[in-house]
């Protein structure tokens, strides 16, 4: 089920030199404010002019680290990498440990349908680096490791130039180190980053000790997604009350989303949490044709039928539907496409990109992918749907990492969202759309040649 589609490139919200006017008020862009104002990447001078000097000195003196953690907790900031874990809780867990800590910036963004972190680092690199340095100050760290995929040379050059700007300005009291890691779906998992930085393969590690206890070089280690750290930098400057002006009381703030598929203007947008999914699509020009469903959260996410697109973009509202914001991905799928065929291609990719370290990845994922390929092609046997449901129910919570859980979630959601198509395909009549060109770009399914 390898796809001939090319790997999707980082989307941009508007043409590089002509960003659309930014909205005003609580829903106005925050992370992307400088982009909307200038239409170009922010230099260090641009960054300091817009946001003022870094508050790192305040954090390092007078109990500032405690106040920063308290501000982040009051803000209600949660991780934007997918899991949505409370940021203050992670900061506190590392700060409580003995010894010099380490901060790891997870900028791998291995989710194929996502481009938000790449775009953020391209247009506001100093906001991310500020957040990493502030996090290091808050947890007693002296080193920041920034992890990027090794096949994105332009991103390395851009971020390397930003780090050099800061070095010449003698801005940071900690060491900033850029690293190029093997690019695979699971190499962005936090324990995979720690494992690689310790000289091992970029594969998830199972079992204790946890990274906050003993991570890089056996030191307490804080791993955060790039977008999360950019939000932290803004909270440190403007406070928790300002952060809560956007979003909902339970899930405050804004989030970056990557919208693609059947919309008029695909790209990266910054939206307030709680924004209805239909409104997010409308900000991308709206659907170009009637939709069957939207893939929410990426390849490890879930399909939502078009009838559910009035749902607010929050974990609380999406949970009853078996979905979550995840990595901030929305892929609009037209009715003229075959959701089962698109899902089969994604499952083949996920099966090929597992770490291959445990039974669910070595055996379970390929079996689910093969069954889904047969269903999509109209070659299903009588027991196929029962077998698929049984296998997908067995995958979650059994692997060394969460990779099998995401694949199971995707497969189960497709059986629900496209149930009418399932019946037709079970009758041996694959829909005409199954033979059309792919709608969701899926990278080649071949795994990386090396994990080191």
């Amino acid at each position: 089920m390898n796809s001939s589609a090319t790997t999707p490139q980082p989307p941009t919200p508007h043409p590089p030199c002509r960003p659309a006017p930014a909205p005003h008020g609580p829903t106005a862009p925050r992370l992307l404010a400088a982009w909307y104002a200038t239409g170009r990447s922010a230099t260090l001078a641009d960054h300091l002019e817009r946001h003022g000097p870094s508050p790192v000195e305040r954090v390092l003196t007078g109990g500032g680290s405690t106040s920063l953690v308290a501000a982040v907790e009051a803000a209600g900031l949660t991780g934007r990498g997918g899991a949505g874990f409370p940021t203050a809780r992670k900061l506190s867990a590392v700060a409580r440990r003995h010894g010099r800590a380490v901060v790891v910036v997870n900028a791998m963004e291995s989710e194929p349908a996502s481009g938000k972190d790449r775009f953020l680092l391209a247009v506001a690199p100093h906001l991310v680096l500020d957040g990493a340095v502030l996090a290091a100050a808050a947890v007693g760290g002296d080193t920041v490791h920034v992890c990027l995929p090794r096949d994105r040379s332009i991103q390395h050059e851009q971020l390397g130039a930003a780090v050099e700007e800061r070095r010449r300005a003698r801005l940071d009291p900690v060491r900033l180190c850029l690293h190029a890691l093997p690019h695979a779906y699971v190499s962005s998992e936090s324990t995979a980053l720690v494992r690689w930085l310790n000289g091992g393969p970029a594969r998830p590690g199972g079992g204790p000790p946890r990274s906050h206890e003993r991570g890089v070089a056996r030191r307490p280690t804080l791993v955060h997604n790039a977008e999360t750290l950019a939000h932290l930098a803004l909270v440190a400057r403007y406070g928790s009350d300002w952060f809560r002006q956007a979003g909902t009381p339970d899930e405050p703030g804004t989030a970056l989303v990557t919208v693609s598929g059947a919309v008029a203007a695909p790209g990266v947008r910054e939206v307030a949490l709680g924004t209805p999914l239909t409104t997010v699509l409308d900000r991308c020009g709206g659907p170009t044709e009637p939709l069957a469903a939207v893939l929410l959260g990426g390849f490890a996410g879930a399909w939502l039928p078009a009838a559910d697109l009035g749902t607010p973009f929050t974990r609380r509202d999406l949970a009853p539907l078996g979905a979550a914001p995840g990595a901030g991905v929305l892929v609009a799928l037209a009715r003229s496409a075959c959701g089962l065929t698109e899902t089969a291609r994604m499952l083949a990719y996920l099966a090929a990109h597992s770490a291959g370290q445990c039974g669910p990845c070595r055996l379970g994922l390929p079996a689910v992918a093969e069954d889904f390929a047969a269903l999509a092609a109209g070659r299903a046997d009588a027991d196929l749907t029962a077998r698929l449901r049984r296998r997908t129910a067995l995958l979650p919570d059994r692997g060394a990492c969460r990779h099998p859980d995401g694949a199971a979630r995707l497969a189960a959601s497709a059986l629900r969202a496209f149930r009418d198509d399932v019946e037709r395909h079970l009758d041996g009549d694959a829909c005409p759309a199954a033979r059309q060109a792919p709608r969701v770009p899926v990278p080649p399914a071949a795994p990386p040649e090396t994990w080191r």
Side-chain angles (χ1 to χ4, degrees):
M1 294 293 294
N2 287 7
S3 166
S4 59
T6 57
T7 304
Q9 296 301 306
T12 56
H14 302 286
C17 295
R18 298 181 60 191
H24 298 285
T27 61
R30 298 170 167 198
L31 302 177
L32 302 183
W35 160 256
Y36 276 99
T38 66
R40 59 179 171 79
S41 177
T43 64
L44 181 58
D46 296 332
H47 171 73
L48 295 176
E49 181 180 356
R50 171 165 288 275
H51 297 293
S54 169
V56 68
E57 288 299 326
R58 173 164 48 83
V59 172
L60 287 170
T61 59
S65 60
T66 303
S67 63
L68 175 59
V69 175
V72 171
E73 183 174 18
L77 174 62
T78 55
R80 299 297 197 251
F85 196 78
T87 303
R89 198 179 303 173
K90 292 180 72 171
L91 289 165
S92 297
V94 176
R96 286 195 301 264
R97 308 300 298 183
H98 296 294
R100 275 293 192 183
V102 173
V103 171
V104 176
V105 181
N106 187 348
M108 294 294 291
E109 197 164 35
S110 294
E111 165 55 53
S114 179
K116 69 180 183 70
D117 289 334
R118 277 173 282 174
F119 186 76
L120 177 63
L121 282 165
V123 302
H126 294 287
L127 207 54
V128 177
L129 295 173
D130 266 5
V133 172
L134 285 162
V139 301
D142 60 3
T143 304
V144 171
H145 296 287
V146 184
C147 294
L148 302 167
R150 84 175 36 144
D151 58 358
R152 294 178 186 159
S153 58
I154 295 177
Q155 188 179 29
H156 280 266
E157 293 172 8
Q158 292 174 333
L159 201 56
V163 169
E164 179 61 19
E165 275 190 296
R166 299 172 77 92
R167 187 195 65 78
R168 290 198 304 268
R170 298 183 179 182
L171 189 65
D172 302 316
V174 302
R175 188 166 56 112
L176 296 174
C177 307
L178 298 187
H179 301 276
L181 276 69
H183 197 193
Y185 193 87
V186 296
S187 63
S188 63
E189 206 269 347
S190 62
T191 61
L193 304 185
V194 171
R195 197 173 177 185
W196 187 89
L197 288 168
N198 281 334
R203 288 173 169 160
R210 297 181 179 179
S211 298
H212 75 269
E213 298 169 328
R214 192 163 71 244
V216 178
R218 303 176 65 84
R219 295 160 63 180
T221 300
L222 175 74
V223 183
H224 265 315
N225 161 262
E227 182 191 340
T228 308
L229 291 167
H231 284 293
L232 185 150
L234 294 180
V235 170
R237 282 180 166 89
Y238 306 123
S240 57
D241 290 343
W242 169 87
F243 186 79
R244 284 185 167 275
Q245 289 175 9
T248 72
D250 292 329
E251 299 181 43
T254 63
L256 298 181
V257 294
T258 310
V259 184
S260 62
V263 292
V268 173
R269 297 295 190 280
E270 185 172 3
V271 301
L273 292 174
T275 302
L277 297 176
T278 49
T279 302
V280 178
L281 297 178
D282 287 343
R283 291 182 185 173
C284 291
T288 54
E289 54 183 299
L291 300 182
V294 166
L295 177 62
L296 188 64
F299 286 22
W303 289 104
L304 285 187
D308 292 328
L309 296 184
T311 307
F313 186 66
T314 67
R315 299 183 71 83
R316 179 178 180 176
D317 291 293
L318 292 167
L321 304 177
V329 168
L330 280 78
V331 182
L333 188 72
R335 286 181 193 166
S336 57
C338 176
L340 299 178
T341 301
E342 302 294 341
T343 303
R345 294 170 51 249
M346 287 185 276
L347 287 170
Y349 171 82
L350 293 175
H353 273 249
S354 76
Q357 299 180 126
C358 57
C361 277
R362 290 198 309 269
L363 305 173
L365 287 188
V368 168
E370 288 171 9
D371 278 345
F372 232 96
L375 175 62
R379 295 185 282 99
D381 58 73
D383 187 47
L384 186 137
T385 53
R387 188 169 64 246
L388 261 177
R389 290 190 172 92
R390 183 171 63 252
R391 285 173 170 172
T392 54
L394 288 172
L395 286 177
D397 299 318
R398 291 174 179 267
C401 67
R402 294 293 180 182
H403 184 62
D405 304 44
R409 181 166 46 248
L410 175 68
S413 72
L415 294 178
R416 293 192 302 269
F418 307 116
R419 58 171 58 93
D420 292 342
D421 292 334
V422 169
E423 295 302 320
R424 286 194 291 271
H425 282 241
L426 285 174
D427 290 338
D429 182 24
C431 59
R435 294 182 285 274
Q436 294 180 2
R439 305 293 183 91
V440 181
V442 178
E449 295 181 2
T450 177
W451 293 89
R452 293 184 181 272

